[in-house]
Amino acid sequence: QLTMSLNSSTILNEENAQGAKRNTECLESLLETPSSFQDNPLQQLQLASQEVLEKAKKSGRSKCPRCNSSRMFYCYTCFVPVETVPTKEIPTVKLPLKIDIIKHPNETDGKSTAVHAKLLAPDDVTIYKYPCIPEYEEKRHEIALVFPGPNSVSVKDIAFHLQKYTKKGVCASDDDCSREPLLKQAKIEPEEKKNPKEGISSSRSEGTRLKKIIFIDSTWNQTNKIITDERLQGLLQIELKTRKTCFWRHQKGKPDTYLSTIEAIYYFLVDYHQEILKESYKGQYDNLLFFFSFMYTLIKDAKCCAGKE
């Protein structure tokens, strides 16, 4: 949901009074930003140097090294930086679990922030274009879907609800039921039951059995086609209820807790790190907003310049 058109007039034509108001209201949404950061609510993020993006902005659009298309900063179809943005100068983020992003076929590539996740965490993020998505049925006891709904739970309750999903979901057949005692034993005796594939110590929360999280990349009016797909039924749903979007393309008529894709990924991981891994958050995932924060500043500056004119 992020366009790469940086022309000031184009940006300003797409902005409205509601969007300007939301940019102000989002000040408290990002890690309780203090008033001193009101000019830029993303300012306190611990980001890698964005000098490479500043240089690319001055030089203008450049070619994608794979498809030769003219792009700004990165190619949103090939998921790679353009020639003026050396890959080595782009930060990489290691995530605590795998992420699948399911993209609506009608979602405009150039408006999507999902590509940010793939660019910045290439080893842990996979983007699928609907209807070509994986079968999750056999893994639903270790997978969750971030999507608001009547049955959605908060991040802090993942461990409790995933355990219930395990008992209910894995026992769909007689063969599966043979595994239930092992899962119960893992809960009671965590030090004796480890999963070498996860590489996560047993001293962490039992909720770390979650191995993959799914996000839907779509306008909110188009999500019904994906969320009702039978391959996504039976998955634990997570809702991020306490965050407010800073996205400049927020859709009219939707609550400000409906986040852009990259915001949802970032906020989920911050909460997961603190609530499930039980570790102090020290900016480990801030670079997921490397492009987003830069774009936010560009658009804010463009609006300010237009206001002065």
Side-chain angles (χ1 to χ4, degrees):
Q1 299 164 334
L2 170 61
T3 182
M4 291 315 301
S5 173
L6 300 182
N7 181 276
S8 297
S9 61
T10 300
I11 293 172
L12 294 169
N13 287 336
E14 294 177 347
E15 293 298 309
N16 52 43
Q18 182 180 6
K21 180 181 178 181
R22 184 171 293 104
N23 281 340
T24 301
E25 292 176 344
C26 75
L27 297 177
E28 297 179 357
S29 71
L30 205 102
L31 305 179
E32 300 182 355
T33 309
S35 59
S36 59
F37 291 101
Q38 287 185 1
D39 289 339
N40 185 351
L42 307 176
Q43 185 175 345
Q44 68 174 5
L45 294 171
Q46 299 180 42
L47 299 173
S49 171
Q50 293 177 320
E51 183 179 358
V52 62
L53 300 182
E54 290 285 357
K55 292 179 178 179
K57 180 187 70 172
K58 293 177 181 178
S59 61
R61 299 170 72 88
S62 180
K63 286 186 178 181
C64 167
R66 293 186 182 176
C67 68
N68 290 323
S69 296
S70 177
R71 304 281 191 244
M72 180 66 80
F73 301 134
Y74 57 79
C75 180
Y76 44 75
T77 53
C78 299
F79 309 142
V80 295
V82 294
E83 293 177 346
T84 55
V85 182
T87 302
K88 64 181 181 180
E89 296 187 41
I90 298 298
T92 56
V93 184
K94 180 61 180 174
L95 308 184
L97 37 66
K98 300 298 182 182
I99 288 179
D100 280 1
I101 300 175
I102 301 175
K103 188 175 180 297
H104 194 283
N106 294 336
E107 176 68 5
T108 303
D109 290 338
K111 295 182 179 180
S112 172
T113 62
V115 63
H116 296 185
K118 183 61 179 176
L119 283 162
L120 299 164
D123 294 337
D124 297 316
V125 175
T126 303
I127 298 179
Y128 298 94
K129 179 168 287 190
Y130 188 84
C132 298
I133 65 174
E135 295 285 350
Y136 295 110
E137 175 68 21
E138 295 182 0
K139 299 287 186 180
R140 61 183 177 179
H141 58 288
E142 58 188 32
I143 297 176
L145 169 67
V146 173
F147 194 82
N151 298 319
S152 297
V153 303
S154 64
V155 174
K156 67 179 181 179
D157 293 327
I158 287 178
F160 174 73
H161 288 280
L162 198 60
Q163 181 69 13
K164 293 197 300 182
Y165 263 68
T166 297
K167 293 178 180 178
K168 291 171 58 180
V170 172
C171 281
S173 67
D174 292 337
D175 292 337
D176 287 338
C177 285
S178 63
R179 286 184 284 174
E180 186 179 355
L182 293 178
L183 291 168
K184 286 184 176 180
Q185 181 182 10
K187 181 178 180 181
I188 299 172
E189 301 173 330
E191 293 184 0
E192 296 180 14
K193 185 67 179 179
K194 299 180 181 180
N195 189 334
K197 293 183 179 179
E198 289 187 62
I200 300 175
S201 69
S202 59
S203 63
R204 293 184 179 179
S205 168
E206 65 192 46
T208 54
R209 279 197 300 272
L210 181 67
K211 294 182 179 179
K212 180 175 289 186
I213 190 76
I214 302 169
F215 294 85
I216 295 176
D217 185 55
S218 167
T219 61
W220 288 100
N221 293 330
Q222 295 175 331
T223 55
N224 187 64
K225 181 176 182 179
I226 297 178
I227 196 63
T228 57
D229 189 286
E230 61 180 10
R231 289 168 291 183
L232 299 181
Q233 304 311 303
L235 293 176
L236 177 65
Q237 284 187 215
I238 311 298
E239 183 171 359
L240 306 174
K241 302 178 181 180
T242 62
R243 309 290 193 176
K244 293 183 180 181
T245 185
C246 290
F247 194 33
W248 49 93
R249 285 182 174 276
H250 185 77
Q251 295 161 53
K252 295 180 180 180
K254 301 300 179 182
D256 56 9
T257 53
Y258 279 21
L259 308 172
S260 66
T261 302
I262 194 62
E263 285 179 300
I265 292 172
Y266 169 73
Y267 284 129
F268 170 83
L269 290 171
V270 171
D271 290 346
Y272 181 85
H273 193 86
Q274 296 172 317
E275 301 287 352
I276 302 301
L277 300 185
K278 303 296 183 182
E279 295 183 4
S280 175
Y281 183 71
K282 299 179 180 179
Q284 291 90 333
Y285 315 120
D286 283 10
N287 274 322
L288 286 175
L289 297 179
F290 180 76
F291 291 106
F292 185 89
S293 63
F294 189 80
M295 299 296 297
Y296 174 89
T297 301
L298 277 183
I299 293 173
K300 177 180 176 297
D301 290 346
K303 290 170 59 179
C304 289
C305 290
K308 292 178 181 179
E309 294 174 0

